[in-house]
Amino acid sequence: MSIQDYVLSAAYARATAVEDSFLQAFKDSMERSGHAFAAEPSAVDPTPAQRTAERHAIRDLEPGKQGHAA
């Protein structure tokens, strides 16, 4: 095995180890986040009335519905 082959195989092994570590940490994070989002709605969650008001406000801001400065 040449030194170049050795360096390339070592770099590949290191890169795949880093990738595996990242993917495992990402999966763990997704699992924790899933538990948090599955929890009961909190006081910061918008009420149905707030969601409706937000949809109306967004619709009113669509192009063509805004007034123009004179």
Side-chain angles (χ1 to χ4, degrees), residues 49-62 65:
Q50 289 171 322
R51 289 176 193 236
T52 301
E54 182 178 2
R55 279 195 301 274
H56 289 298
I58 290 171
R59 188 183 63 222
D60 291 343
L61 292 175
E62 289 177 349
K65 295 202 175 194

Side-chain angles (χ1 to χ4, degrees), residues 10-62:
Y12 179 80
R14 177 70 180 144
T16 54
V18 169
E19 179 184 22
D20 291 342
S21 174
F22 171 80
L23 290 175
Q24 185 59 48
F26 182 73
K27 289 176 187 175
D28 293 344
S29 174
M30 291 292 290
E31 185 176 323
R32 285 191 305 272
S33 297
H35 294 307
F37 287 114
E40 292 289 325
S42 70
V44 297
D45 290 332
T47 64
Q50 289 171 322
R51 289 176 193 236
T52 301
E54 182 178 2
R55 279 195 301 274
H56 289 298
I58 290 171
R59 188 183 63 222
D60 291 343
L61 292 175
E62 289 177 349

